Amino acid sequence: LVIEGIEGLVHISEMSWTRRIKRSLAFLQPVSWSADCSTITIRAELVLWLAPCLAKLQARLLARTLSGTPNPQSTELGMQHDIAVLGSGSWGTALAIAQVSAGRSVLLWSRRAERAAEISRNRHVAPYLPSDISLPDGITVTNDLADCRDAAIILSVTPAQAMRATLTALGRANRLILCCKGVERGTGALMPVAAKEALPSAEIFMLSGPNFAGEVARGMPAAATVAGPTLDSAAALANDLATPSLRLY
């Protein structure tokens, strides 16, 4: 689906869905169809009419990625672990689950060894997330920061006051995304400043909602914003972290 003025594609490979969406769009007079009916170009103001169809299609695509189909959007993630998430609270775990839904290998770091062992054994992070939300098999839980250093992308989701110490102990990172907000007590430093002092060579980004961790963990549609050193680098990262249910801008 190509919406004029909005970048993004949804590939419709199942003809039953193509026919259903085509019937739904018959009275909207879309701008054009591709020859094989797999791509529709419509006016942006008509996108709300498509919401029910696209929600169902998105659920099908999510189920497909959970079954192990590779995500075509991931182009740079090929290291031992695609993603490392530092912090096993509600938001860190929700982001880890979202990344697994896109077919990526995820390492979830927990500060306390006994907590890491418990999460790995039970596959739950209660009370941070409801007990019916469990960790998919694609998430590996660890208490060792050394396991996380070589991940292609590291998400720091620790409390703000613990972030500097955690990143200093980490030692190195390729692309580092800060998913916590706050001001460091004692120094008055914002999170990007403290992170850069802890890891001077890392490329540092910020990810911000507003989001609800439970909704993201359940695969409900959500969006967030990524900021980085340049617009191009932020856009590339947003593309690498996009999932079927979590859109990044």
Side-chain angles (χ1 to χ4, degrees):
L1 175 66
V2 181
I3 302 171
E4 283 189 333
I6 302 176
E7 293 184 3
L9 293 174
V10 175
H11 297 285
I12 305 170
S13 60
E14 300 174 12
M15 287 307 297
S16 62
W17 281 99
T18 301
R19 288 194 298 269
R20 189 173 305 179
I21 291 178
K22 188 170 183 179
R23 287 197 303 268
S24 300
L25 288 174
F27 70 99
L28 294 178
Q29 297 181 341
V31 176
S32 65
W33 284 83
S34 64
D36 61 356
C37 292
S38 64
T39 303
I40 318 159
T41 301
I42 68 168
R43 297 192 304 276
E45 62 268 22
L46 299 179
V47 68
L48 291 178
W49 289 95
L50 286 176
C53 286
L54 292 184
K56 294 178 182 178
L57 177 60
Q58 186 177 54
R60 294 289 290 273
L61 293 174
L62 176 60
R64 189 178 305 161
T65 56
L66 286 172
S67 69
T69 303
N71 177 23
Q73 292 178 321
S74 264
T75 56
E76 301 181 21
L77 309 181
M79 301 186 183
Q80 182 177 5
H81 289 283
D82 298 331
I83 309 290
V85 179
L86 309 183
S88 59
S90 57
W91 186 222
T93 304
L95 289 172
I97 293 173
Q99 290 304 308
V100 167
S101 76
R104 298 171 189 135
S105 171
V106 177
L107 194 61
L108 180 64
W109 175 80
S110 185
R111 180 177 59 88
R112 293 184 290 116
E114 63 275 18
R115 177 64 173 166
E118 179 185 356
I119 295 172
S120 183
R121 181 176 61 254
N122 299 331
R123 311 304 290 177
H124 294 284
V125 294
Y128 298 109
L129 287 175
S131 59
D132 63 310
I133 297 177
S134 59
L135 269 63
D137 291 339
I139 295 178
T140 301
V141 184
T142 184
N143 174 244
D144 190 349
L145 281 171
D147 295 337
C148 306
R149 290 172 182 153
D150 293 323
I153 297 175
I154 297 177
L155 279 66
S156 178
V157 205
T158 63
Q161 305 311 318
M163 188 199 68
R164 184 191 290 266
T166 302
L167 296 183
T168 300
L170 179 66
R172 68 171 183 270
N174 296 298
R175 289 187 289 177
L176 175 68
I177 299 92
L178 307 180
C179 306
C180 57
K181 309 184 188 82
V183 177
E184 191 176 50
R185 287 195 297 264
T187 67
L190 297 176
M191 294 298 97
V193 175
K196 196 65 176 176
E197 290 175 355
L199 296 175
S201 62
E203 191 176 14
I204 295 175
F205 301 82
M206 289 288 297
L207 184 149
S208 182
N211 300 108
F212 292 103
E215 293 183 356
V216 172
R218 294 184 193 280
M220 297 174 66
T225 302
V226 172
T230 67
L231 181 60
D232 287 344
S233 63
L237 181 65
N239 183 67
D240 283 339
L241 287 178
T243 79
S245 59
L246 179 61
R247 298 291 300 271
L248 301 177
Y249 298 93

